[in-house]
Amino acid sequence: MTPTPLLHAQRVTKRFGGLTAVADFNLTLLPGELVGLIGPNGAGKTTAFNLITGVYAPSEGHITLAQQPTRGLTPDRIAARGVSRTFQNIRLFDAMTVLENVKTAYNLNTRYTFLDAILRTRRFRDEEDLIHQRALDLLRLFRLEDDAHARADSLAYGEQRRLEIARALATQPRLLLLDEPAAGMNAQETEELMAMIRDIKTRFDLTILLIEHDMRFVMQLCERIIVLEYGRIIAEGTPQAIREDPRVIAAYLGDAAEGVELPPQEPHHAPG
Amino acid sequence: MSYLLEQLLNGLSLGCIYAFVALGYTMVYGIIKLINFAHGEFFMVGSFTGFFVLAFAGVERLPLPYPLSLVVSFSLALLASALASALLAVITERLAYRPLQHASRIAVLLTALGVSLLLQNLGIQVFSAEQKGYPELRQYVAFEDAPALQGQTFDGPAYVVFEVESALGDTRQEQAFIAQPGTPFDPQALQEHKHRRLHGAPIDGFYIERPIDVLWKKLLIIAALVIAFAALWLLVHRTQLGRAMRAVSYNPEAARLMGIASGRVISATFFIGAFLAGIGGLVWGMRYGKVEPFMGFLPGLKAFIAAVLGGIGSLPGAVVGGLILGVLEVLIPAYLPSEYTGYKDGVAFIVLILILLFKPSGLLGRWEGEKV
Amino acid sequence: MLYYLLEHLTHMALLMVLALGLNLINGYTGMFSLGHHGFFAVGAYAAGALTLAVTPAAPSLGVGLGVFALSALGGVLAAAAFGVVVGVPCLRLRGDYLAIATLGFGEIVRIIIQNTEALGGARGLEVPYLLLTRGVDTQLPYVALYAALALLAVAATVWTLRAVLRSNHGRAMIAIREDEIAAELLGVNLMKYKLAAFILGAGFAGLAGALYTHFTTQIEPREFGLLKGIYILLYVVLGGMGSMSGTLLATALLYILDKMLLNLLPPEIQAWREVAFALMLVLVMILRPQGILGQKELYQTRLWRRLFKRASPAEAPAP
């Protein structure tokens, strides 16, 4: 008997007006899996993330999280059920410090009330101390503790990517979605990132779904890979199987700009 | 005419004026996403310009035969109102809004509020805060032509304008009536005024007010909107400028890359929008008979509500929204007990809140979600 | 002289309470309310109506104190409740649309007050003196008392907002300003925090309104128009959205400039003050849209450090 899936998407379709961004998308993630989602630009990868996290409601089909349907839940409620994510174009809280960025993500698990904060009750102080400690621990894990009090937008690009992951972990998720975590990183940073993802996966007992254009990164890291094209899944399997799948090769050769061996695109900051 | 029909016509003509103003709001919002609060002040300046042209510029003294002279002086007032309003809008955009192209939305919105306040207060300094009666169209008659009018009756009063010196030594203008509306004109009444002077020179004629019947005014306002909207539609859909405006509104970055000078398109949008608001200002003055520096704020706000109601960015939406708002604003108080007439101005705001809650894209608009 | 200073100080302090509350909504939570004068009006009229309803003919000091406290609480609660009424439907709107909707609510409040006989209609409302009568010989103690109360209100506002902003609830609000979508995906309940900001901001506006009613004892609907809202917003923007000391500084600066210094000028120049005020608003937006202090607090500025602290290595000037 197979274990209960953590995430299950069944025949999910998302249309924007006349455009079908994701069609008939099926996905089952078992606890502890590390799965890659690849495909040419505009294939619907980020839309899939937005459907899972509740930014968009599916036009058709349904998604369950630990066998509970997520339809009708706002993104923050889905986050409360253990889904956290990072963003393709980094979305940190720029004007806040690095430490505050992480602390904010503990909001879900904050128990003290506004009144506790105003009256500085024992409950408030104890919990703030705890949040402070945990946030610092997370920063240490991502080697960001020295910048704890710097503004988030003063960090270097690779550090910002790491901070986004640290912040995502602060919500204490079971499922972590990483949207192009290695984009804009050099070879050494990518290498370190791989080690870091493996480390947090065991340390926090995570299930991870990631989007990435860097094929070497995906092939080395993921146990299973899903290939999307024009909103549809065209292949699914182990890295070895994907590498040899004729449809995948055709899809990538058909889109030379996104060639398998091309380096990832240059970093850019899209305004929020 | 039945009460309902009359109120409906009142509402439609009011709605047409809202539509004149709402078109500019919606064009500017469509193109630079700015709620141009100062748009109501462009309307006010248009109204004042028409006031000055009709009351002081002497356009009625052009050597033209009677019905034609009224048409010409009205046309000149219309053109002057529209141009004054449009020029002010172009200057405002250049000086106040263009430097903020890349600033936050809040900064731009607050600037628009500031410009609105600024123009209102400048209006007080230039025009004084007190309310002024709007002149009716009038005919000028030279004294030697007076005998030909003997025995005729007019819809408005006939009067001469002359100067008197006060005890303090300064001079001011006064009117002396020589015929009341509806009574036969007698040239003899002119005799005692023939020696009077204006600006130091002897006066050589008198004025006959030719008020337009209120029913005609309402119908003319509606006709004016139809013509203006048709012209605007052709401009936006059939000319190079219109295509450029639509391109900039759809995607400013792409339009710039395609070589469309968005600065000039934005200026043109302000010009056209305020041109229409200026016409609205003149029409408002002639319909409701008053001008004052604060007159633009509330109609401006309501015109914006009309634009939101119709779907901001949509030209037909601005017209539909304006008409609906005008009709509601007249009909609702008309059929409520009289102690509720004070709530007339509340109608628009309740409409606003309802539309924002239930269909923020407006009746004819499309809603753009945010990209993640 | 002292009397006039204290009178002005009271008005200024109440404006500070209003502006601080609006700063929480607009500056820290990143929304755009243009209807803060509406909350002020609700607080003022609720306190006034409550006072008229419960005050006996000749209240003793004890009763007066009780009525005063009750009406102040009533003002706060009524304004906060109105914050919910405005907030729940409006908070789904963003940016300009929220601004226009709140402006609409502000206008509706004024129109309702103007047309409600029980609230005095356009003539306004007059309440009896409660704590102290403003007689010829008690003028100075009267203004001193209210100046103290108003300053206490400022202190309470600053304390509360600071405490909230330094908690995880406040961080959630600031996160919404920084990136609403990211905040929501990290578990921040947008509705809860936007509403909380509205309720807190409105509650303080209600407090200012209640104190205003008791201080002036006469209120009229036209004092609570959009222009008041624009003034409050200007204090917030000029000081810096997201800076409490900036709000205090800007309110003080503009109030002193407007009410005190300009009175020294000849009347023909004074006639242009409204023009100058509006022009300044436009110029500030064009030249320094982030306001005097931006998002910093006064003690975080370089000038402050240079004046009051020894530079420490950690505070090397930014490039």
Side-chain angles (χ1 to χ4, degrees):
Chain A
M1 202 186 124
T2 49
T4 40
L6 178 59
L7 179 82
H8 183 64
Q10 198 176 13
R11 310 205 60 172
V12 171
T13 297
K14 179 65 190 175
R15 280 183 288 268
F16 297 101
L19 176 82
T20 305
V22 168
D24 223 358
F25 181 73
N26 292 296
L27 172 68
T28 304
L29 288 181
L30 300 177
E33 273 197 295
L34 205 175
V35 176
L37 188 58
I38 64 170
N41 266 353
K45 304 182 297 290
T46 297
T47 306
F49 269 25
N50 285 336
L51 288 164
I52 295 169
T53 51
V55 176
Y56 302 141
S59 310
E60 278 165 36
H62 59 264
I63 300 171
T64 57
L65 201 67
Q67 298 191 307
Q68 300 285 316
T70 62
R71 177 170 287 277
L73 293 181
T74 51
D76 60 297
R77 291 297 91 201
I78 291 177
R81 296 196 176 185
V83 181
S84 196
R85 72 177 277 187
T86 65
F87 301 90
Q88 185 181 347
N89 41 6
I90 299 175
R91 300 184 82 136
L92 290 170
F93 307 128
D94 285 344
M96 299 168 83
T97 66
V98 170
L99 184 63
E100 284 169 343
N101 262 272
V102 178
K103 281 183 174 180
T104 303
Y106 282 106
N107 186 275
L108 269 178
N109 300 303
T110 303
R111 296 284 160 262
Y112 63 78
T113 63
F114 276 84
L115 208 59
D116 286 320
I118 295 165
L119 301 175
R120 304 199 157 277
T121 59
R122 166 134 225 120
R123 183 150 73 137
F124 166 77
R125 280 174 288 142
D126 289 350
E127 225 180 302
E128 272 292 305
D129 286 346
L130 191 66
I131 291 170
H132 188 77
Q133 275 317 316
R134 285 189 178 168
L136 277 181
D137 288 346
L138 264 181
L139 288 182
R140 217 164 280 132
L141 190 62
F142 286 86
R143 287 182 286 103
L144 291 164
E145 72 273 21
D146 293 340
D147 296 316
H149 296 286
R151 266 175 68 117
D153 57 2
S154 71
L155 293 185
Y157 185 76
E159 293 173 322
Q160 292 198 14
R161 286 241 172 251
R162 294 211 301 273
L163 175 56
E164 255 207 333
I165 300 176
R167 188 182 66 173
L169 287 175
T171 65
Q172 303 171 346
R174 287 181 289 170
L175 171 62
L176 180 64
L177 309 179
L178 301 173
D179 200 342
E180 299 194 26
M185 288 187 171
N186 61 32
Q188 194 207 332
E189 284 174 322
T190 309
E191 219 37 67
E192 286 172 7
L193 180 70
M194 255 190 275
M196 197 170 271
I197 290 174
R198 286 198 187 98
D199 174 46
I200 57 169
K201 181 172 172 294
T202 42
R203 191 187 290 258
F204 297 102
D205 196 16
L206 293 171
T207 307
I208 297 177
L209 178 65
L210 62 86
I211 297 172
E212 189 48 66
H213 281 298
D214 184 340
M215 283 306 140
R216 228 173 55 80
F217 181 91
V218 180
M219 296 287 168
Q220 280 189 24
L221 191 61
C222 300
E223 301 145 8
R224 187 153 69 91
I225 294 171
I226 297 164
V227 189
L228 272 181
E229 192 194 24
Y230 298 120
R232 290 181 183 277
I233 295 177
I234 56 166
E236 185 171 356
T238 61
Q240 187 57 34
I242 292 298
R243 218 191 304 263
E244 289 158 7
D245 191 303
R247 282 170 304 177
V248 178
I249 295 168
Y252 273 91
L253 288 179
D255 192 343
E258 282 294 333
V260 181
E261 300 304 333
L262 287 178
Q265 63 197 76
E266 284 300 299
H268 68 283
H269 294 258
Chain B
M1 203 183 330
S2 79
Y3 183 66
L4 173 66
L5 201 62
E6 187 181 341
Q7 295 298 332
L8 208 58
L9 202 55
N10 283 341
L12 283 177
S13 61
L14 175 63
C16 282
I17 303 181
Y18 286 156
F20 266 112
V21 185
L23 282 168
Y25 256 121
T26 219
M27 288 169 75
V28 167
Y29 194 91
I31 221 154
I32 56 169
K33 301 282 173 283
L34 162 70
I35 301 177
N36 180 20
F37 281 107
H39 197 63
E41 275 61 49
F42 303 158
F43 163 90
M44 176 268 287
V45 166
S47 196
F48 265 100
T49 306
F51 168 83
F52 285 114
V53 170
L54 291 177
F56 299 109
V59 280
E60 65 281 347
R61 300 180 64 145
L62 294 171
L64 293 166
Y66 156 57
L68 183 64
S69 66
L70 289 201
V71 174
V72 168
S73 56
F74 172 75
S75 306
L76 287 174
L78 191 72
L79 197 64
S81 302
L83 283 178
S85 170
L87 283 177
L88 179 67
V90 170
I91 294 168
T92 302
E93 191 270 322
R94 272 288 154 89
L95 294 182
Y97 299 150
R98 191 156 304 179
L100 286 160
Q101 256 175 339
H102 304 289
S104 73
R105 297 281 284 277
I106 294 191
V108 182
L109 197 64
L110 208 56
T111 307
L113 270 173
V115 172
S116 168
L117 278 182
L118 180 65
L119 292 176
Q120 278 175 30
N121 287 302
L122 276 176
I124 294 175
Q125 296 302 318
V126 177
F127 307 133
S128 99
E130 74 190 67
Q131 214 172 49
K132 294 182 177 61
Y134 218 76
E136 295 284 351
L137 291 178
R138 54 191 186 176
Q139 173 192 2
Y140 186 75
V141 184
F143 284 143
E144 63 260 32
D145 298 332
L149 299 173
Q150 169 135 31
Q152 290 190 17
T153 57
F154 313 122
D155 291 339
Y159 54 84
V160 291
V161 177
F162 56 89
E163 234 159 42
V164 292
E165 200 166 310
S166 75
L168 295 169
D170 51 353
T171 56
R172 62 190 159 82
Q173 292 190 5
E174 269 196 6
Q175 296 177 346
F177 290 95
I178 50 179
Q180 293 303 323
T183 56
F185 174 69
D186 177 9
Q188 283 307 113
L190 292 169
Q191 287 309 326
E192 59 172 306
H193 301 299
K194 282 192 165 161
H195 66 281
R196 297 196 194 272
R197 303 175 83 80
L198 186 64
H199 307 305
I203 56 174
D204 56 356
F206 64 99
Y207 299 93
I208 306 169
E209 275 190 8
R210 299 285 193 177
I212 304 169
D213 180 66
V214 178
L215 175 65
W216 273 104
K217 274 187 186 169
K218 296 176 201 166
L219 294 174
L220 283 173
I221 291 173
I222 295 171
L225 181 72
V226 171
I227 295 168
F229 186 72
L232 184 65
W233 188 260
L234 287 178
L235 182 89
V236 169
H237 288 271
R238 293 275 184 278
T239 66
Q240 197 65 41
L241 175 66
R243 269 190 286 276
M245 283 165 68
R246 281 184 295 150
V248 173
S249 132
Y250 191 71
N251 187 339
E253 273 308 299
R256 203 173 50 77
L257 294 173
M258 299 290 289
I260 296 169
S262 59
R264 274 168 59 190
V265 174
I266 291 168
S267 289
T269 307
F270 271 86
F271 186 93
I272 297 164
F275 192 90
L276 295 171
I279 295 176
L282 175 86
V283 171
W284 178 282
M286 295 185 73
R287 171 81 174 86
Y288 299 104
K290 295 183 203 92
V291 274
E292 43 125 353
F294 297 112
M295 67 182 286
F297 194 75
L298 209 50
L301 219 48
K302 288 178 183 170
F304 176 73
I305 293 172
V308 173
L309 174 62
I312 196 120
S314 153
L315 296 182
V319 173
V320 170
L323 292 180
I324 293 177
L325 191 63
V327 169
L328 286 179
E329 227 181 42
V330 171
L331 281 193
I332 290 178
Y335 284 93
L336 280 179
S338 61
E339 63 262 36
Y340 293 109
T341 47
Y343 289 100
K344 178 178 168 291
D345 286 335
V347 171
F349 293 104
I350 289 169
V351 168
L352 169 75
I353 298 206
L354 291 179
I355 192 79
L356 287 181
L357 290 185
F358 295 108
K359 200 163 187 317
S361 57
L363 298 174
L364 303 180
R366 59 196 156 86
W367 184 249
E368 288 158 16
E370 197 175 338
K371 265 192 157 178
V372 181
Chain C
M1 184 64 197
L2 182 61
Y3 167 75
Y4 285 110
L5 276 179
L6 287 174
E7 167 134 34
H8 278 305
L9 185 65
T10 311
H11 283 296
M12 187 173 90
L14 294 181
L15 288 172
M16 284 174 173
V17 174
L18 286 168
L20 286 168
L22 184 63
N23 199 356
L24 181 72
I25 299 172
N26 288 14
Y28 287 98
T29 318
M31 293 182 285
F32 194 170
S33 167
L34 253 179
H36 215 58
H37 55 291
F39 300 133
F40 183 44
V42 169
Y45 270 88
L50 207 57
T51 303
L52 288 178
V54 301
T55 311
S60 65
L61 183 61
V63 172
L65 203 62
V67 173
F68 180 83
L70 181 73
S71 69
L73 188 67
V76 171
L77 291 182
F82 188 62
V84 178
V85 171
V86 179
V88 168
C90 287
L91 293 185
R92 291 191 295 138
L93 306 169
R94 294 221 175 103
D96 305 347
Y97 282 82
L98 178 63
I100 289 292
T102 50
L103 185 155
F105 266 112
E107 285 301 291
I108 289 172
V109 167
R110 197 177 48 77
I111 290 168
I112 289 176
I113 291 172
Q114 221 155 32
N115 288 287
T116 306
E117 268 313 301
L119 295 175
R123 292 185 323 283
L125 204 61
E126 191 171 350
V127 297
Y129 290 106
L130 287 178
L131 302 181
L132 202 59
T133 307
R134 194 178 196 169
V136 181
D137 49 344
T138 54
Q139 278 200 339
L140 193 60
Y142 184 87
V143 288
L145 171 70
Y146 275 97
L149 284 172
L151 287 177
L152 206 61
V154 174
T157 313
V158 170
W159 168 274
T160 307
L161 296 188
R162 228 172 103 98
V164 167
L165 288 168
R166 289 180 166 201
S167 77
N168 231 6
H169 298 305
R171 281 177 214 123
M173 292 176 177
I174 299 173
I176 292 173
R177 174 189 75 196
E178 291 293 304
D179 190 330
E180 190 167 320
I181 290 173
E184 192 179 23
L185 285 164
L186 289 166
V188 171
N189 184 335
L190 296 184
M191 198 63 193
K192 172 183 164 187
Y193 285 105
K194 287 179 170 186
L195 204 53
F198 251 82
I199 292 172
L200 273 171
F204 283 112
L207 176 67
L211 287 175
Y212 184 78
T213 298
H214 285 298
F215 177 52
T216 59
T217 68
Q218 276 179 333
I219 47 176
E220 285 175 46
R222 59 183 175 82
E223 294 173 88
F224 303 94
L226 177 60
L227 195 64
K228 180 74 99 196
I230 296 177
Y231 267 74
I232 302 168
L233 187 59
L234 179 64
Y235 300 142
V236 173
V237 173
L238 182 71
M241 308 250 277
S243 165
M244 283 203 275
S245 39
T247 300
L248 297 177
L249 193 67
T251 311
L253 266 174
L254 281 185
Y255 188 88
I256 291 169
L257 194 70
D258 187 35
K259 292 284 156 44
M260 297 179 172
L261 291 187
L262 278 179
N263 283 338
L264 305 175
L265 295 173
E268 56 270 31
I269 295 177
Q270 275 188 45
W272 289 83
R273 71 205 279 169
E274 302 292 333
V275 176
F277 181 84
L279 190 64
M280 189 174 68
L281 172 56
V282 175
L283 287 178
V284 166
M285 284 298 98
I286 293 174
L287 301 175
R288 197 172 166 81
Q290 76 274 38
I292 302 173
L293 294 184
Q295 288 174 349
K296 287 182 183 165
E297 293 298 339
L298 195 55
Y299 59 82
Q300 294 168 324
T301 56
R302 271 204 266 167
L303 180 69
W304 184 272
R305 283 177 184 157
R306 192 161 300 167
L307 289 176
F308 298 104
K309 286 186 186 169
R310 296 251 164 256
S312 64
E315 290 167 349

